[in-house]
Amino acid sequence: MIVQMTKQEFDSLNDEALFHACFKPLILDYKHRMAQENSTMVKVHFYKELTSGQKALFVFHIYYDHVIESEAEFYWWSAYFIAQPKIWSAIKTGLQYFGEGNMFHLLEETESVIKRHNGPSSLEKFVVKREDLQNNKELSESIKPLYSNFNEIANLTIKRISDFIRFNHEDFIKIID
């Protein structure tokens, strides 16, 4: 699942393109496996096959792709991942792996707000709705600045991850001639 590209191609990619290029083969392989058998064991086996860097990239990219869409999506998907402690922990650990303290602290703050507003501790207790923001002014006022901050620092996070990839490309990319 290591991406293969020429040195010229590698050097020509901007931060966002590199971020996506290293993720694409991972998500394609994951979706292919899940289409064959959607089970927890398939997910665990897939994840175990990744390098440490790929694990960190995969979990953050999955989170990013879902929450960037809107304030309601930021709230709902954050709550959904928080309700899965292993996944939520992996996302935060991945940010630490990349040295991304700003986004890590934002996720910690997001978790605190969601838990303060009776966020779920497991999927069995998951009753969060996107409409919760419309129905709970206090919750909405707490989520709004978090989503705004997410949008402000997401590009810096992508840059930091891409810089990490550039200096540790062997975990993500095989340079071919």
Side-chain angles (χ1 to χ4, degrees):
M1 287 183 280
I2 301 280
V3 178
Q4 293 188 15
M5 63 178 69
T6 65
K7 176 81 168 115
Q8 180 182 5
E9 194 178 5
F10 176 68
D11 291 340
S12 72
L13 294 175
N14 67 28
D15 293 333
E16 191 169 339
L18 182 60
F19 177 68
H20 295 307
C22 292
F23 174 72
K24 187 177 179 181
L26 304 179
I27 193 63
L28 291 176
D29 187 44
Y30 176 81
K31 287 179 177 182
H32 175 74
R33 292 182 193 201
M34 294 305 290
Q36 292 178 337
E37 180 188 341
N38 187 343
S39 74
T40 301
M41 288 309 298
V42 171
K43 292 176 185 178
V44 168
H45 185 70
F46 167 81
Y47 194 70
K48 283 184 176 181
E49 290 180 7
L50 303 179
T51 66
S52 296
Q54 287 175 318
K55 287 176 183 174
L57 173 68
F58 185 77
V59 294
F60 177 71
H61 208 302
I62 292 289
Y63 178 75
Y64 170 85
D65 284 349
H66 287 91
V67 304
I68 196 68
E69 294 299 319
S70 70
E71 193 174 306
E73 295 300 309
F74 175 81
Y75 164 68
W76 192 90
W77 283 100
S78 293
Y80 178 74
F81 288 123
I82 289 167
Q84 300 173 80
K86 285 184 180 180
I87 295 173
W88 187 246
S89 176
I91 294 167
K92 294 190 301 183
T93 299
L95 290 168
Q96 290 176 312
Y97 178 85
F98 289 123
E100 185 43 45
N102 291 336
M103 186 63 78
F104 175 86
H105 293 301
L106 177 67
L107 267 58
E108 290 271 287
E109 193 175 343
T110 302
E111 178 179 4
S112 176
V113 165
I114 290 173
K115 285 184 175 182
R116 203 168 46 244
H117 289 275
N118 300 317
S121 59
S122 69
L123 287 181
E124 291 79 30
K125 300 175 184 178
F126 193 82
V127 292
V128 172
K129 296 181 200 91
R130 288 163 179 86
E131 297 78 28
D132 292 347
L133 294 179
Q134 297 167 349
N135 301 329
N136 184 332
K137 185 177 179 179
E138 184 184 333
L139 174 62
S140 179
E141 288 176 358
S142 297
I143 293 294
K144 186 179 290 300
L146 293 171
Y147 180 64
S148 178
N149 288 344
F150 181 84
N151 278 303
E152 287 178 24
I153 64 175
N155 286 337
L156 294 173
T157 299
I158 290 171
K159 179 176 179 14
R160 187 160 291 131
I161 291 171
S162 295
D163 287 347
F164 184 94
I165 292 169
R166 289 183 204 290
F167 291 105
N168 302 279
H169 74 272
E170 56 283 337
D171 235 14
F172 306 89
I173 297 169
K174 180 180 179 185
I175 304 292
I176 54 174
D177 293 332

